[in-house]
Amino acid sequence: MESVLDHRLPMLDGGHSMAVRLMQHLVVPTFVLDTERRVAIWNKACERLTGCPASEMIGTRNHWQAFYNHERHCLADVVALNKPDQLETLYSAHAEPGEFGLGLRAENWCTMPRLGERLYLAVDAGPIFDDQGKLVAVVETLRDMTAQKQAEIALHNLATRDGLTGVANRRSLDERLNAEWARGQRTASPITFMLADVDHFKRYNDTYGHQKGDECLRSVAEAISGAVYRPADLAARYGGEEFAVIMPSTEPDGGHAVAERICQAVRALAIPHCASDVTDCVTLSIGVATAIPQPGSTPGALVAAADEALYRAKRTGRNRSCLAAA
């Protein structure tokens, strides 16, 4: 990390008031911890960024309160304690110590309790040594990267989310399925895949119009997502009025239970569908297939099995889920 933080600087005590005044007036939000991890400097830019005045911070170990609701180490604490192993649990993005073990860099969302809003901060922290190589302080500087992070998230969502329904798009689905298939090959664990189709959706569009059709798809997508609980599972729009769900490490019975829960969630929406010959509201048909990926295989057969189970659900009356043949 190329920064003044990596250079040996004199002690920031009363004998070096010029250095202290310079830090106080830096435009970059900066604070300094002494060897006891108490705040020695909390500059004006740091006051503006956090909403916390220096008078509340100087001489305390309460610097964490400017950034988080619960007590935890900041990056400067990690440097002062020489515990870079904490980076993985403390920060969503971070750089490991450099060749000489000086300075750390990290990024994460901070709750900023005094401001009442979340900010995404890029943080640098580095040690200050005296002429004998003894640690005398740690400096932490901060940059507000919230706007850039939000733009990055927006671009990511454009690339991975379906524009109409907000669930994952087909590209994201294919990428996740291939990744989970490869993981299943390594671990010999099962993958369950579902294909769901809105029953008689063409009739719905012809009866209520395409605007209502779009509203229907959005509601169905929300119901499917709400019925898929685990973070590892993915609900996606497969195309048109079809949706798909990937469930890693899931046996057939577990997948079938989730499929039934999805069917019930869509029925509970009670979206009128007078043109359906199934019932008077919008319903789903779902096909469920499970496989343990084999070396050298591809997920195409799993998708085909779910598709066959979907059409069996349609042939046997719709508004139901069917398991693929074992």
Side-chain angles (χ1 to χ4, degrees):
M1 181 170 60
E2 194 168 326
S3 163
V4 296
L5 305 184
D6 288 343
H7 297 286
R8 298 189 175 194
L9 300 177
M11 289 183 64
L12 298 179
D13 55 20
H16 296 87
S17 57
M18 177 61 75
V20 172
R21 286 199 297 272
L22 285 172
M23 281 201 177
Q24 290 284 13
H25 293 282
L26 281 176
V27 296
V28 177
T30 304
F31 67 87
V32 178
L33 301 185
D34 63 20
T35 54
E36 300 298 320
R37 296 177 26 245
R38 293 185 174 89
V39 177
I41 295 174
W42 189 267
N43 77 356
K44 297 182 184 301
C46 201
E47 288 184 321
R48 290 191 293 270
L49 176 69
T50 64
C52 296
S55 59
E56 293 183 8
M57 292 295 166
I58 300 297
T60 76
R61 292 178 178 171
N62 296 335
H63 46 287
W64 62 270
Q65 294 179 357
F67 309 102
Y68 307 104
N69 290 319
H70 304 288
E71 186 171 1
R72 51 155 280 173
H73 286 155
C74 295
L75 197 62
D77 297 297
V78 175
V79 172
L81 294 168
N82 193 26
K83 292 186 175 180
D85 55 300
Q86 293 187 357
L87 287 171
E88 191 67 36
T89 56
L90 290 174
Y91 292 96
S92 57
H94 60 83
E96 296 293 340
E99 179 183 356
F100 301 104
L102 297 175
L104 298 175
R105 174 168 292 168
E107 299 176 6
N108 75 335
W109 286 100
C110 298
T111 54
M112 312 301 289
R114 190 63 64 87
L115 297 180
E117 61 178 321
R118 293 173 77 234
L119 297 181
Y120 190 82
L121 300 181
V123 188
D124 290 275
I128 300 174
F129 301 104
D130 64 15
D131 292 337
Q132 286 72 48
K134 181 182 177 181
L135 179 71
V136 294
V138 177
V139 179
E140 178 166 317
T141 61
L142 307 117
R143 286 176 293 138
D144 183 358
M145 303 287 289
T146 308
Q148 294 92 320
K149 190 64 177 179
Q150 289 173 337
E152 178 186 317
I153 292 171
L155 286 173
H156 176 77
N157 287 340
L158 283 174
T160 62
R161 295 285 161 182
D162 176 62
L164 175 64
T165 64
V167 297
N169 61 19
R170 179 64 180 272
R171 175 183 174 183
S172 293
L173 177 78
D174 292 343
E175 289 176 352
R176 174 69 71 83
L177 183 56
N178 287 328
E180 293 297 345
W181 192 262
R183 190 177 69 86
Q185 288 176 332
R186 295 192 301 271
T187 61
S189 57
I191 298 175
T192 289
F193 185 81
M194 303 179 202
L195 276 178
D197 189 85
V198 180
D199 293 324
H200 298 305
F201 186 70
K202 184 179 184 304
R203 295 184 191 177
Y204 186 93
N205 264 341
D206 291 344
T207 303
Y208 297 97
H210 289 282
Q211 183 174 346
K212 282 291 187 181
D214 288 349
E215 292 175 6
C216 173
L217 291 178
R218 281 192 286 268
S219 297
V220 168
E222 184 176 354
I224 293 173
S225 295
V228 177
Y229 300 151
R230 302 185 310 178
D233 300 338
L234 179 73
R237 189 178 182 192
Y238 195 72
E241 69 273 19
E242 285 190 312
F243 295 88
V245 178
I246 301 171
M247 301 186 69
S249 303
T250 303
E251 300 288 348
D253 287 348
H256 193 208
V258 172
E260 285 295 301
R261 188 164 72 221
I262 290 171
C263 285
Q264 176 56 37
V266 172
R267 285 193 293 267
L269 295 173
I271 300 172
H273 190 350
C274 65
S276 173
D277 57 16
V278 180
T279 183
D280 59 359
C281 66
V282 169
T283 58
L284 287 184
S285 296
I286 304 178
V288 184
T290 302
I292 297 176
Q294 301 301 311
S297 65
T298 65
L302 176 64
V303 175
D307 194 44
E308 172 57 33
L310 168 62
Y311 279 94
R312 184 151 48 87
K314 291 181 177 182
R315 289 195 301 269
T316 55
R318 302 178 188 262
N319 188 25
R320 67 193 63 202
S321 64
C322 283
L323 274 172

